Amino acid sequence: MGARDLRKYIEFLLWHYRVVDAFWFIYVSEHFDQSTAEHINEKVWGRVAGMAAKDIIARFNINDKGLKGFVNAQRLFPWCILVGYQILEENDEIFITVPSCPTQEARLKRGLDEYNCKEMHRKEFASFARIIDERINIECLFAPPDPHPSNMFCKWRFFVG
């Protein structure tokens, strides 16, 4: 497979990764309820993110600790690529913003409300960060169900301390 076809295949895999996650959530919500789906989603992403961080560190030989290691690893995390996390490095802190969230936008397009993803992402980021460096702290500036600007779904701050 050439570079172009390999890139297309990776995009295909990532798209299916997102589709599986979306239908899993929808069906759990339909079979049980929204709150249960959100709670299970928190547990799943709290677990998978740490596993991904370990794998990324090993596969891509990331030895840096602190925010530098976090950013280097986070840029390789599939969900970061899929969603298009914007990572801003400022002095001794990192900000991750999500201007366009495919999951929330798909829900809104189908007439559904935004789902509460704040705690799921908190657990995802905490699990991921803890593998890189236990000193990394996470602060949610806003995420659904919080009110947010129309051009941004969530914003997170990471710092060592």
Side-chain angles (χ1 to χ4, degrees), residues 7-143:
R7 184 177 230 4
K8 287 169 62 176
Y9 185 64
I10 291 169
E11 289 170 359
F12 162 81
L13 290 174
L14 289 173
W15 185 81
H16 276 279
Y17 177 58
R18 190 181 91 194
V19 169
V20 167
D21 180 66
F23 279 109
W24 174 91
F25 187 89
I26 289 167
Y27 292 143
V28 170
S29 177
E30 287 175 357
H31 187 77
F32 298 101
D33 56 51
Q34 186 72 16
S35 177
T36 300
E38 290 169 359
H39 177 70
I40 293 172
N41 209 31
E42 290 170 22
K43 291 180 72 88
V44 167
W45 283 99
R47 178 72 189 259
V48 212
M51 292 171 66
K54 285 179 186 175
D55 200 19
I56 288 168
I57 288 168
R59 286 179 190 265
F60 299 99
N61 199 27
I62 295 175
N63 297 312
D64 294 318
K65 295 290 183 191
L67 297 177
K68 182 178 181 181
F70 175 78
V71 168
N72 290 341
Q74 186 64 220
R75 289 188 194 282
L76 296 169
F77 185 43
W79 209 248
C80 176
I81 297 164
L82 266 171
V83 173
Y85 290 167
Q86 291 186 346
I87 301 173
L88 175 65
E89 300 177 62
E90 284 190 4
N91 301 322
D92 295 331
E93 54 191 3
I94 302 294
F95 293 94
I96 291 181
T97 58
V98 179
S100 174
C101 178
T103 304
Q104 297 291 17
E105 289 171 350
R107 292 181 62 82
L108 294 170
K109 185 177 178 181
R110 287 167 179 76
L112 300 170
D113 292 331
E114 291 178 356
Y115 81 100
N116 182 345
C117 62
K118 184 177 190 172
E119 292 310 312
M120 179 270 296
H121 283 299
R122 184 186 315 279
K123 288 182 177 160
E124 168 198 343
F125 287 136
S127 173
F128 195 95
R130 186 172 38 255
I131 297 301
I132 306 302
D133 190 328
E134 290 190 13
R135 300 171 304 146
I136 298 174
N137 291 298
I138 299 140
E139 177 187 5
C140 178
L141 301 176
F142 57 84

